[in-house]
């Protein structure tokens, strides 16, 4: 009797109810589109969008994949499609390495062609992936669990803050989620009724997933594990052989799709143009030599396009180089707990509650829906296991491919509860309404969302940072705030400064240094030891995401101050007079280095000593002073400051600074010892 009740609940067999539910689907899709359009209009360009769009346009129009191969081309080229009829003007070469040129040229490309004139239609193109994900989620849920469960899953997905935060951006996360879900759905339909149509669709979708983001390659272990479990469930060796052959066919088709996106050409660009740096030395420089050896073997036999291999190598470099902010501390490499905690903070409480209730509700239905559970849970478990053991801990957005599967389970659980009895139905209805209220409360600052159990959006920075809160998307809101309050005397430490600049949106504040803006992109700035007026600091810089925490962070003192405003939950505003000695010393050190290498040792020494007076305990400052002294052959003094740099490095988070400064200090000490 209970099984029959569960079956009716999941299948929702009342025809009038099914008609009503089916009518809700286009309404929910329109609501999703409307919310995403609002985000696309409100958010300024973030860290990655300009260079993704620029690279996508060059890939589409010139077949040149060198500019920024850090992600595959599908999403970037899709974003660039609406630009073809706009005929944007291309910037000249920035004269730097291709990855630097992607950011510098990307900014010039977007903002010299009207900013939103390019960004908005590109974002609308990327919104397609969110809408397609919603449709596939609905189709998957309807086929497996019935109309009610499918609509509940779609409803929860449409009102998910993480989906709304990233669903219209020129970013690969939603594209990856879309095609991983579509691949598993097609494979599920093939498993039910084998035929070449579903097998071909699974192959195409898996190829799209791998051409959207490199995490698409996780489809391979997902499919294989599903095949193994299905064979074990049926205790059949022939089933295992057939499913493994199917997996091989899917992956072979995916391989062909990848080559198609690179025009079936191994070279990354026409006319023999190469990467900078070329692939071979780039592979040799990987932090783990075994990764380089494996990719070099693939390159030797041209098994994948060179740009795809270069991008895979780039993910290994960035995984090693990026720091992670976790529980108020910056780590050289994020701890394994990062994504489990991020999931608990960034997921809505209605979703988490429904997943817990699903454990109880599915106890009676697990046998009937055991096959569906395999196809829904294996992708989640494989993906979560891989990202948890990685060190690429810069944002919960990397969990996006898990959420459609989890919402299918949650939607099925909600459908069961709605049909189980009055009390359970009330609980399910409350959870569904709660999901809407959650979105309304956080709107439009969806990116900073954190659920109520952890204190809400403004409390997220206690635990997480970077694109969990602040991806630099607040410049339009900053501009409105400054204009509304008639503020002209202002300073701004802006997280993506250089990739996007506040001036691109009319924010004319004086620049405060960030590690990327100063050390990488070398943007012009002058910062005195004491500043006054209105000071704006991106949340990621306030937390020291790039610089390090505590004494390494030039804005650490602001963390104890009460801001006069918080814009889009990601830019903190202060008013008054503030000492910023480390920020000023950073600028002096950078200028000293430039002067020293341009034949102006006297002025370089003056600035280096000025920096030392401001921040004598900074190993970076002591190292620069020692280097300038060494260039002037003042070896005894240089040795002294190299030793001071080494001592301070040992005291101040050598795990964060050692890779960058440690070898330079040791080389300086050896050189000084050779010149007594």
């Amino acid at each position: 009797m209970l099984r029959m009740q569960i079956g009716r609940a999941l299948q929702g067999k009342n025809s009038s109810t099914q008609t009503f539910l089916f009518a809700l689907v286009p309404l929910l899709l329109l609501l999703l589109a409307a919310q995403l359009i609002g985000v696309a209009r409100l958010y300024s360009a973030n860290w990655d969008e300009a260079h993704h769009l620029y690279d996508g346009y060059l890939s589409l129009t010139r077949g040149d994949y060198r500019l920024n191969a850090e992600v595959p081309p599908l999403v970037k080229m899709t974003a660039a499609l609406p630009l073809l009829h706009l005929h944007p003007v291309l910037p000249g070469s920035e004269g730097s390495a291709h990855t630097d040129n992607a950011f510098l040229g990307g900014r010039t490309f977007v903002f010299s062609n009207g900013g939103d004139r390019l960004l908005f239609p590109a974002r609308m193109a990327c919104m397609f992936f969110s809408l397609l994900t919603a449709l596939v989620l609905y189709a998957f849920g309807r086929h497996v669990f019935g109309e009610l469960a499918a609509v509940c899953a779609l409803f929860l997905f449409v009102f998910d803050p993480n989906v709304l935060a990233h669903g219209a951006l020129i970013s690969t996360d939603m594209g990856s989620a879309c095609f991983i879900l579509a691949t598993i759905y097609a494979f599920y339909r093939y498993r039910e009724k084998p035929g070449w149509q579903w097998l071909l669709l699974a192959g195409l979708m898996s190829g799209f997933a791998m051409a959207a983001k490199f995490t698409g390659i996780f489809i391979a272990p997902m499919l294989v594990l599903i095949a193994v479990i299905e064979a074990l469930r049926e205790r059949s060796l022939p089933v295992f052989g057939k499913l493994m052959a199917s997996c091989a066919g899917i992956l072979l088709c995916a391989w062909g799709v990848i080559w198609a996106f690179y025009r079936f050409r191994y070279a990354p660009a026409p006319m023999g143009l190469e990467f900078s740096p070329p692939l071979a030395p780039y592979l040799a420089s990987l932090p783990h030599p075994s990764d380089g050896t494996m990719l070099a073997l693939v390159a030797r036999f041209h098994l994948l396009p060179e740009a795809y291999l270069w991008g895979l190598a780039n993910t290994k470099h960035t995984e090693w180089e990026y720091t992670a902010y976790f529980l108020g501390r910056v780590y050289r490499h994020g701890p394994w707990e990062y994504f489990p905690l991020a999931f608990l903070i960034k997921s809505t409480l209605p979703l988490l509650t429904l997943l817990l209730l699903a454990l109880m509700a599915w106890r009676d239905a697990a046998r009937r829906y055991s096959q569906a559970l395999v196809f829904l849970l294996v992708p989640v478990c494989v993906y979560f296991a891989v990202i948890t053991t990685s060190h690429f801990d810069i944002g919960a957005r990397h969990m996006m491919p898990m959420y459609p599967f989890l919402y299918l389970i949650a939607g099925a659980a909600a459908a069961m509860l709605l049909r189980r009895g009055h009390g359970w139905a009330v609980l399910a209805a409350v959870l569904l309404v709660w999901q809407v209220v959650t979105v309304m409360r956080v709107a439009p600052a969806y990116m900073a969302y954190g659920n109520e159990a952890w204190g809400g959006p403004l409390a997220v920075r206690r635990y997480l940072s970077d694109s969990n809160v602040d991806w630099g998307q607040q410049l339009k809101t900053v501009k409105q705030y400054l204009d509304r309050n008639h503020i002209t005397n202002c300073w701004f430490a802006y997280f993506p400064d250089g990739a996007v600049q506040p001036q691109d949106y009319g924010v004319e504040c004086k620049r405060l240094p960030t590690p990327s803006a100063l050390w990488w992109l070398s943007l012009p700035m002058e910062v005195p030891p004491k500043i006054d007026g209105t000071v704006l600091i991106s949340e990621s810089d306030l937390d020291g995401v790039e610089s390090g925490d505590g004494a390494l962070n030039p804005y650490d003192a602001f963390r104890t101050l009460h801001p006069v405003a918080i814009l889009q939950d990601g830019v903190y505003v202060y008013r008054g007079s503030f000492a910023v000695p480390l920020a000023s010393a950073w600028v002096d050190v950078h200028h000293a280095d430039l002067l020293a290498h341009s034949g102006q040792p006297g002025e370089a020494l003056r600035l280096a000593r000025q920096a030392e007076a401001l921040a004598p305990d900074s190993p970076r400052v002591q190292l620069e002073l020692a280097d300038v002294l060494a260039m002037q052959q003042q070896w005894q003094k240089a040795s002294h400051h190299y030793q001071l740099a080494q001592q301070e490095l040992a005291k101040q988070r050598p795990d964060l600074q050692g890779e960058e400064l440690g070898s330079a200090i040791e080389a300086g000490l050896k050189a000084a010892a050779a010149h007594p």
Side-chain angles (χ1 to χ4, degrees), residues 164-182:
L164 297 178
H166 298 280
L169 302 183
I170 306 169
S171 171
T172 56
D173 302 296
M174 189 57 72
S176 175
C178 174
F179 294 118
I180 289 176
L181 177 68

Side-chain angles (χ1 to χ4, degrees), residues 535-585:
V535 178
L536 302 97
I537 306 177
S538 290
E539 190 272 344
S540 295
D541 292 308
L542 198 62
D543 290 333
V545 167
E546 292 183 294
S547 61
D549 47 40
L552 303 183
N553 182 3
Y555 310 112
D556 188 63
F558 287 88
R559 290 165 57 86
T560 62
L561 303 179
H562 184 72
V564 298
I566 304 174
L567 308 179
Q568 260 192 59
D569 295 342
V571 173
Y572 286 67
V573 184
Y574 305 87
R575 289 203 189 105
S577 182
F578 308 98
V580 287
L582 184 56
S584 182

